[in-house]
Amino acid sequence: MSNNNFTQLLRESFKSSDTEEWLDVHFTRPIGLVFALLWNRLGIHPNVITIVSIFLGAAAGWFFHYTDLQHNLMAIVLLMFANFCDSTDGQMARLANKRTLLGRALDGFSGDVWFFAIYVALSIRMMNQDIPGLDIHWGWFSWVLCLVAGVLCHSPQSSLADYYRQIHLYFLKGKEGSELDNSAVQQATHDSLPKSDWFGRLFYGNYARYCKSQERRTPDFQRFFKLWTAGKGTSEQRTKIREELLRSSRPLMPYTNILTFNTRAIVLYISALLGVVWVYPVFEIVVMTGLYLYMHKTHETMCARLTQQFEQ
């Protein structure tokens, strides 16, 4: 394959130039594309690659509980390969038009498994280490710290960042270019399935709750989107609103990237290698939460302003 063909395929495998992060564009995506081309030639479905990434990420998490350099380097390599697989499945799905709702849900689930394992490992590792500046072990407080960082901070941050990214893609590329889903639709699908289809009901029920949690935190967007999907406004007015939404949303896309993987991973790698793993959950609670609150407030303010434009 020529360099021109590879470059063209690489561009086609991106979600969009607005939503791709620099590190992904120049590092993760090219490696992911090489894997994608190989596995696509072997006939391996993207969902299988996602499942592989789950095991790699979980193994990485386990190795982070060790304090020696060798195990930490192994953890970093495993987590990097898990991320390559995560990138690969999405690129394969877009290039080969193999996108499925199950694949999207598995993609989110894989990240949850990785970081669940990582937070457990960090909790174990910190228990017998001293709290900085004190001659006291973290003890069970390490579990409290990681629980707050993982459940109360990390999880809602990632889900809302993904939601805002899908909203941007919806208005940039249309419904076919986005994975913006609706909880009512997923719940209706769940309710239509027979009770004997336990897996389908479990899947759609959980996914409906996931979508509902995103919708519950974005009331101003929900009001705006209801007017938009109802076809409110003239054609000229809708074009103007769409352009303004994209213009206002574009500066928030770097925040959605920061709140997903790369920044977290870099902080995790550095803190693990330096032996100060407490830095990672504290960074999550303080810095990432601050970015999350700013992103959320800015996006909701934008949606409230756009809603008003329908009334002008």
Side-chain angles (χ1 to χ4, degrees), residues 31-140:
I31 295 174
L33 180 57
V34 172
F35 288 171
L37 294 173
L38 172 62
W39 287 329
N40 192 52
R41 182 173 296 180
L42 296 175
I44 299 175
H45 194 277
N47 290 351
V48 175
I49 308 304
T50 306
I51 294 171
V52 171
S53 80
I54 292 174
F55 287 100
L56 289 172
W62 171 252
F63 282 121
F64 273 119
H65 94 275
Y66 292 100
T67 58
D68 62 281
L69 178 63
Q70 182 179 355
H71 279 97
N72 280 268
L73 288 175
M74 290 173 64
I76 291 170
V77 170
L78 284 170
L79 191 57
M80 288 177 66
F81 271 92
N83 190 44
F84 292 148
C85 288
D86 182 64
S87 177
T88 296
D89 62 16
Q91 289 173 277
M92 283 179 68
R94 286 187 288 275
L95 288 173
N97 195 26
K98 294 180 179 179
R99 289 183 294 182
T100 64
L101 183 58
L102 176 61
R104 170 163 164 70
L106 271 176
D107 191 55
F109 177 70
S110 67
D112 291 341
V113 173
W114 302 352
F115 279 96
F116 174 80
I118 288 167
Y119 284 117
V120 169
L122 298 186
S123 299
I124 295 171
R125 179 169 172 172
M126 290 167 58
M127 285 188 72
N128 295 319
Q129 295 181 342
D130 287 346
I131 297 174
L134 300 174
D135 190 22
I136 304 172
H137 287 345
W138 283 96
W140 287 102

Side-chain angles (χ1 to χ4, degrees), residues 164 248-257 294-295 298-299 302:
Y164 285 157
S248 301
S249 173
R250 195 168 286 116
L252 294 178
M253 291 304 101
Y255 291 93
T256 68
N257 289 325
Y294 172 78
M295 178 186 70
T298 303
H299 198 277
M302 173 194 74

Side-chain angles (χ1 to χ4, degrees), residues 67 72 125 129 268-279:
T67 58
N72 280 268
R125 179 169 172 172
Q129 295 181 342
L268 173 64
Y269 299 159
I270 294 172
S271 61
L273 291 174
L274 294 179
V276 287
V277 292
W278 60 269
V279 168

Side-chain angles (χ1 to χ4, degrees), residues 181-216:
D181 293 315
N182 178 278
S183 64
V185 172
Q186 307 308 321
Q187 188 62 47
T189 303
H190 166 274
D191 296 341
S192 68
L193 296 173
K195 291 186 177 180
S196 59
D197 187 2
W198 63 268
F199 178 79
R201 290 176 65 87
L202 178 66
F203 171 77
Y204 282 103
N206 285 331
Y207 193 58
R209 284 188 287 273
Y210 173 79
C211 294
K212 188 67 176 177
S213 73
Q214 294 173 319
E215 294 162 1
R216 192 165 45 242

Side-chain angles (χ1 to χ4, degrees), residues 260-271:
T260 48
F261 179 79
N262 286 333
T263 299
R264 279 192 174 94
I266 291 169
V267 174
L268 173 64
Y269 299 159
I270 294 172
S271 61

